[in-house]
Amino acid sequence: MKKSAIWLAALCACALLLAGVAINAAPQSNSNVAGAWTITMAPPAGGGGGGTPPASPTVTFKQDGSKLSGTQSGRGGDTAIDGSVSGNNVTWSLQRTGGDGNEVTITYNAIVDGDTMKGTSTSSMANATPRDFTAARKK
């Protein structure tokens, strides 16, 4: 009887240990970023600027698992975005026509923390420097 109780206790301990390992080894689920977010861009590096800052753009994500689609507002209206989310890392890009008439690709990379994200945007324009940004989910 004692041997059966010891074996049962050992078996339960092993089962609990394996369950804990399995939970910790499970892949991290993707952050839910679906919905509208207000982006606040940091000033360009090197200062400059002055006058009235541009309105904060809004990006609206539609999420299907790790795939993102949607739109981002801007001076020329809404532009389609394409992106992805992996864990708490989110990336999206859009294409606009620059002031010189050439196509410009802007890519955003951020880390999501609940209803906020913080990251950097880069542009394919010549001499463009990366810009930091924050975003907050619209409630």
Side-chain angles (χ1 to χ4, degrees):
M1 183 84 140
K2 276 188 170 182
K3 285 186 179 184
S4 296
I6 292 173
W7 278 105
L8 184 58
L11 182 61
C12 288
C14 287
L16 284 173
L17 179 63
L18 288 174
V21 169
I23 289 171
N24 288 330
Q28 182 182 6
S29 63
N30 293 331
S31 293
N32 178 3
V33 297
W37 296 71
T38 301
I39 299 173
T40 303
M41 299 300 297
T52 306
S56 297
T58 297
V59 61
T60 303
F61 294 115
K62 295 177 185 174
Q63 185 172 350
D64 182 11
S66 63
K67 183 175 173 20
L68 296 177
S69 61
T71 59
Q72 184 167 319
S73 66
R75 292 182 184 121
D78 289 349
T79 304
I81 63 112
D82 183 43
S84 64
V85 61
S86 177
N88 65 343
N89 296 300
V90 61
T91 300
W92 74 95
S93 60
L94 55 96
Q95 289 190 337
R96 291 204 169 124
T97 303
D100 59 2
N102 291 323
E103 284 292 312
V104 176
T105 300
I106 303 169
T107 303
Y108 294 80
N109 292 292
I111 296 176
V112 178
D113 184 10
D115 289 336
T116 62
M117 65 175 76
K118 184 176 182 179
T120 304
S121 71
T122 55
S123 170
S124 64
M125 287 177 43
N127 300 322
T129 57
R131 288 183 65 187
D132 292 336
F133 73 91
T134 58
R137 190 187 308 263
K138 287 187 172 185
K139 302 256 180 180

